[in-house]
Amino acid sequence: DTEVTQTPKHLVMGMTNKKSLKCEQHMGHRAMYWYKQKAKKPPELMFVYSYEKLSINESVPSRFSPECPNSSLLNLHLHALQPEDSALYLCASSQAGAGGSGNTIYFGEGSWLTVV
Amino acid sequence: RKEVEQDPGPFNVPEGATVAFNCTYSNSASQSFFWYRQDCRKEPKLLMSVYSSGNEDGRFTAQLNRASQYISLLIRDSKLSDSATYLCVVTRSGGYNKLIFGAGTRLAVHP
């Protein structure tokens, strides 16, 4: 079982709604990630937080707004989304630091988002 | 050109078959290499890390050739439960790990 917990598992929202996806890990990891995955495609990186600071924003539209309240929590605030934003949103975490085989990234089960 | 390229698949094999997946990466700065497995409508899960010396985990063997920028995964004695999409992943780091995923290769093992 994954040690990265995401809520909600399923979310349906209208284009004018404001909602949030939440992610929590208690492995002491200092790097956390949001990925987006469309059907039959690999996950695409959206954001990376390292030591609670935003390290990477992969040119994600501003209607997606990440937040890292503390080292265990990562949120993704959603506002004015489009139907094409419907996808599986995956949260992940890893020990911060240089790359190496020990620095495994662990994924949560994902939040299935449908924008109507 | 994509940074990580994989066999297009799908691979349809009978139980007990041996199947090999190949992957190439274009960025020589890539530091870590993995195979992830993803079942339908589930999250990716780490199958194994890949080392230059090669590594084996039961029926699974992974190889890395840094000179050729090539990664492979061999599955022996395929089981029905091996049916999934296999994702080749490389990372570049800087205080975090930026995973770069290949498009994935779908494996279907049939009785």
Side-chain angles (χ1 to χ4, degrees), chain A:
Chain A
D1 289 339
T2 182
E3 295 184 68
V4 179
T5 305
Q6 290 187 242
T7 56
K9 287 191 170 26
H10 299 272
L11 177 63
V12 179
M13 61 184 291
M15 289 187 283
T16 58
N17 291 161
K18 284 186 182 180
K19 298 285 185 183
S20 297
L21 304 180
K22 298 185 181 299
C23 176
E24 188 170 4
Q25 58 86 15
H26 293 290
M27 294 181 281
H29 290 173
R30 303 312 297 267
M32 296 187 75
Y33 311 76
W34 280 114
Y35 281 81
K36 172 182 177 179
Q37 187 173 24
K38 301 281 280 185
K40 299 188 190 302
K41 298 288 187 183
E44 293 179 351
L45 183 65
M46 299 175 72
F47 302 104
V48 180
Y49 273 82
S50 180
Y51 292 92
E52 300 165 45
K53 289 187 170 24
L54 184 63
S55 298
I56 292 181
N57 176 342
E58 292 283 290
S59 302
V60 179
S62 60
R63 58 186 184 270
F64 295 92
S65 175
E67 178 197 16
C68 190
N70 61 53
S71 60
S72 300
L73 295 174
L74 185 66
N75 298 323
L76 186 62
H77 302 299
L78 314 170
H79 174 53
L81 295 193
Q82 303 297 311
E84 58 265 28
D85 295 322
S86 299
L88 175 66
Y89 288 83
L90 292 159
C91 175
S93 71
S94 70
Q95 293 177 1
S101 59
N103 205 354
T104 302
I105 290 187
Y106 296 89
F107 285 88
E109 292 183 346
S111 293
W112 289 93
L113 174 67
T114 303
V115 182
V116 296

Side-chain angles (χ1 to χ4, degrees), chain B residues 4 6 8-10 14 16-17 26-27 30 33 38 43-44 50 63 71 74 81-82 100-101 108 111:
Chain B
V4 180
Q6 293 186 239
S26 60
N27 191 331
S30 300
F33 308 89
Q38 187 169 26
E43 76 277 20
V50 189
Q63 293 276 355
I71 305 162
L74 184 75
S81 57
D82 294 333
I100 311 297
F101 285 85

Side-chain angles (χ1 to χ4, degrees), chain B residues 37-45 81-85:
Chain B
R37 169 195 170 131
Q38 187 169 26
D39 293 285
C40 187
R41 298 185 69 81
K42 297 286 189 181
E43 76 277 20
K45 291 187 177 179
S81 57
D82 294 333
S83 298
T85 295

